[in-house]
Amino acid sequence: MDFLRLLPSPTEIQCSALSALNTLLTYTRRSNDVILPQTDFDIDPITGFVPPEPLPRLPAEYKIWEDALTEAPEVLRLWDDNSDEALSLRAEGETWRATIRSRPALDVQRLKDQPRLLQRAHLVLAWLVQYYVHSLPVAQPPTPKRVPESLAVPLVEVSRILGIAPVITFADTITWNWDLINPEKPPTIDNMKLAHSFSGRDDERHFYQVQAAVELHGTQLLRIIENYNQIPNLDDFTFIFKVSRDLTRLTAIIEEISDLIQSMRSGCDPYLFYWEMRPWVEGSDAKGPTQPGWIYEGVDPNAPELQFLSGPSGGQSTVMHALDLFLDIDHKLQKKRYPLPSAENRRADHGFMERMRQYMLGKHRAYLEQLEKSPRSIRELAQRTPVLREPYNNAVAALKKLRTLHMRVACLYVVNMSKTVNPRSACPAAGMMERQAARMESSAPPERRGPIRGTGGTELAALLKAGRDATARAALRN
Ligand code: HEM
């Protein structure tokens, strides 16, 4: 054995000295001011909320799940797809679903101390649920969709251990859904490839990749938050210049994230997004409160986690929540700020961001709770320190602009596309020209269409405007 390799390298010595200093700082602060380091919350110093390595595949006894996921895109199509290809696959699709129904619910207890395998189990089961539910023929009038026990029971168990909602989440589609192109190289956005895709299209790859890029870029922002939290004494003026510089850097990072969100348009077609990708990830409440939700067979229908079965949303991005909490954005309208919320703001879903936390890993949610409870609000510091006001306000303005740009993207991809015709409801024989024409028309008169909802099931326009306005309200006034 090469014992020299067991000795710490100079970098490791430096790291452990820093970590000892951090621990010392952590525990020498006032007892009500203890701030634990990000590493305590499964936040990687390099990749942030993204795991530092691809998730390992499940061990042999769970191979049937992995195999079912590999097979799913080959044999399953959306339930309303009547194309020749989809019709020719119907029998195979039914066999796939019948096999899932016939299987026992595997015990997941032996994974319980292996967080990465639990995450992989969550991903696999959650994707299988979406494949199952959205390929299943829909009864008229619609009846609740039943998720078979073989998927529902282990998914709920795994989710309980991880502290995450038992449904497909932002993590399952983005932060955990990648492999390395070159396993010898580190996980950078250029060295990551999408592991699973519903449509198999480049557009879907781009859609997920842009969001993964935001998460990776967000690690710089996490570092700024960590540095701020490690400042031993905020009233010591020598640190104020550092805080000012960091706020300026934070503004630039937010602007870069805005650019990333804008880059969605270069590789993801809104029509394909709306009709080919989005239907696969819809959650139990996607059609609004008047439509029946899903039944998880074998699970107590009163289990609290069954309240959280919405589809994945950018609102589940832990990076965006960390940013909001750090800048003290008040989505819940609990603080008296100006201009006062409009009537539309007040009617919007104020609990959305809070609810979205249930769709994150328990450890990541705990980190956000720590940020939320932190007694060292940067907004308050900027309020009492004139030199920090402008850099703080610039960061808030950049975040408001990000939300304005994001609203445009959401409008283009969701609101506008909701007025186009579902290609699967158009006559199968219709040619390309007719299809294009159909895209320009609305499929139902506006009064018969319900409110436009996000994948999180909420009314989207009011929600996004309320988020933008809550951001603007954080700006400090003279
Ligand atoms: C084509 C691209 C995108 C579309 C169509 C889109 C659509 C939406 C929709 C419909 C919502 C409403 C909530 C819900 O899901 O029900 C939402 C919320 C949200 N999205 Fe996106 N989004 C896109 C890209 C992104 C990206 C790249 C991010 C960055 C992580 C992001 C971050 C958020 C956040 C943080 C929210 C919560 C509301 C807010 O903070 O204002 N979105 N998005």
Side-chain angles (χ1 to χ4, degrees):
M1 184 191 282
D2 182 0
F3 286 99
L4 271 181
R5 289 183 53 211
L6 296 179
L7 291 175
S9 67
T11 332
E12 282 165 336
I13 293 171
Q14 220 175 11
C15 286
S16 58
L18 270 177
S19 130
L21 180 66
N22 279 344
T23 313
L24 189 70
L25 289 175
T26 301
Y27 294 107
T28 50
R29 285 198 198 108
R30 293 191 315 276
S31 58
N32 62 351
D33 193 8
V34 171
I35 297 178
L36 299 172
Q38 289 172 348
T39 43
D40 281 18
F41 299 94
D42 195 14
I43 303 174
D44 185 83
I46 311 285
T47 54
F49 296 111
V50 178
E53 284 159 9
L55 296 183
R57 297 307 185 250
L58 293 169
E61 61 194 277
Y62 305 98
K63 189 170 176 295
I64 50 171
W65 294 347
E66 293 276 4
D67 289 347
L69 182 54
T70 308
E71 196 190 356
E74 308 296 325
V75 298
L76 299 173
R77 295 294 174 267
L78 287 166
W79 68 274
D80 59 352
D81 188 345
N82 290 315
S83 65
D84 292 345
E85 193 230 8
L87 292 176
S88 71
L89 288 172
R90 286 262 160 97
E92 281 178 82
E94 182 42 42
T95 307
W96 184 95
R97 286 190 300 274
T99 312
I100 295 276
R101 282 193 297 272
S102 68
R103 286 194 174 137
L106 299 181
D107 181 10
V108 295
Q109 283 309 311
R110 72 157 281 223
L111 300 178
K112 79 176 187 320
D113 299 320
Q114 302 179 75
R116 297 291 179 232
L117 286 178
L118 284 167
Q119 289 167 340
R120 177 71 192 167
H122 191 280
L123 181 153
V124 174
L125 290 164
W127 275 72
L128 292 180
V129 167
Q130 298 303 119
Y131 271 119
Y132 186 93
V133 162
H134 294 301
S135 63
L136 202 60
V138 170
Q140 285 308 336
T143 49
K145 299 218 176 184
R146 308 185 80 85
V147 177
E149 194 169 333
S150 61
L151 300 180
V153 168
L155 178 56
V156 169
E157 277 178 29
V158 161
S159 306
R160 271 183 196 150
I161 309 174
L162 290 172
I164 189 171
V167 73
I168 195 163
T169 63
F170 184 86
D172 299 297
T173 49
I174 294 155
T175 38
W176 302 342
N177 186 19
W178 53 274
D179 286 313
L180 287 171
I181 297 169
N182 180 349
E184 308 296 313
K185 292 196 169 161
T188 57
I189 197 68
D190 297 329
N191 190 30
M192 284 167 147
K193 60 175 183 210
L194 191 69
H196 304 284
S197 144
F198 286 106
S199 67
R201 291 206 181 249
D202 283 344
D203 300 70
E204 187 171 352
R205 195 162 304 130
H206 186 78
F207 180 73
Y208 293 145
Q209 197 143 18
V210 165
Q211 299 186 67
V214 170
E215 291 304 291
L216 286 177
H217 205 65
T219 54
Q220 298 185 39
L221 160 173
L222 293 177
R223 237 164 280 145
I224 289 176
I225 299 178
E226 187 76 333
N227 286 343
Y228 177 78
N229 283 333
Q230 300 298 341
I231 293 174
N233 181 3
L234 283 178
D235 296 318
D236 182 337
F237 211 73
T238 48
F239 290 107
I240 294 300
F241 290 103
K242 177 173 165 38
V243 174
S244 172
R245 270 198 316 274
D246 280 354
L247 277 169
T248 304
R249 176 68 197 126
L250 186 69
T251 304
I253 297 168
I254 298 171
E255 287 165 354
E256 285 150 14
I257 294 181
S258 287
D259 292 344
L260 281 170
I261 294 180
Q262 297 277 88
S263 73
M264 190 62 86
R265 300 165 72 157
S266 66
C268 178
D269 178 84
Y271 188 75
L272 293 180
F273 163 80
Y274 192 80
W275 292 112
E276 283 200 17
M277 295 151 53
R278 198 168 179 263
W280 281 114
V281 292
E282 283 183 348
S284 166
D285 57 4
K287 300 280 183 276
T290 55
Q291 296 290 315
W294 302 347
I295 292 174
Y296 272 31
E297 290 181 336
V299 179
D300 174 2
N302 298 316
E305 48 273 86
L306 295 189
Q307 293 167 46
F308 303 104
L309 297 183
S310 299
S313 160
Q316 295 165 12
S317 153
T318 321
V319 156
M320 297 301 292
H321 281 249
L323 182 56
D324 276 344
L325 291 168
F326 184 58
L327 291 177
D328 191 9
I329 309 300
D330 175 27
H331 288 288
K332 288 189 272 182
L333 303 185
Q334 286 173 330
K335 302 179 180 174
K336 188 147 193 196
R337 290 186 183 166
Y338 297 93
L340 290 173
S342 66
E344 188 191 23
N345 284 168
R346 284 199 301 272
R347 273 199 311 273
D349 181 357
H350 310 137
F352 177 77
M353 291 302 263
E354 176 93 3
R355 218 166 50 248
M356 288 300 110
R357 288 197 208 167
Q358 300 301 324
Y359 295 81
M360 299 171 186
L361 266 188
K363 281 196 171 179
H364 292 172
R365 185 166 55 252
Y367 173 68
L368 296 179
E369 279 157 14
Q370 164 169 293
L371 273 185
E372 189 167 37
K373 289 188 194 127
S374 166
R376 37 175 58 213
S377 153
I378 198 162
R379 186 171 184 273
E380 280 169 25
L381 180 69
Q383 196 144 32
R384 62 173 190 266
T385 318
V387 71
L388 288 182
R389 278 181 174 221
E390 192 182 328
Y392 173 82
N393 278 348
N394 289 344
V396 169
L399 186 55
K400 179 189 168 202
K401 188 162 175 212
L402 180 151
R403 287 208 153 98
T404 305
L405 294 170
H406 171 264
M407 271 172 64
R408 283 191 207 147
V409 172
C411 186
L412 180 70
Y413 280 75
V414 183
V415 181
N416 290 1
M417 290 306 117
S418 72
K419 297 174 191 152
T420 60
V421 172
N422 178 348
R424 292 178 297 281
S425 70
C427 166
M432 199 57 192
M433 296 282 285
E434 288 155 279
R435 201 60 94 61
Q436 291 283 4
R439 285 166 64 162
M440 308 307 291
E441 289 172 17
S442 116
S443 53
E447 64 280 6
R448 275 182 38 215
R449 274 179 255 137
I452 294 162
R453 295 179 187 281
T455 37
T458 196
E459 288 181 35
L460 138 79
L463 172 85
L464 298 184
K465 274 192 219 156
R468 179 204 54 194
D469 296 348
T471 307
R473 239 172 269 127
L476 295 169
R477 294 159 166 255
N478 287 327

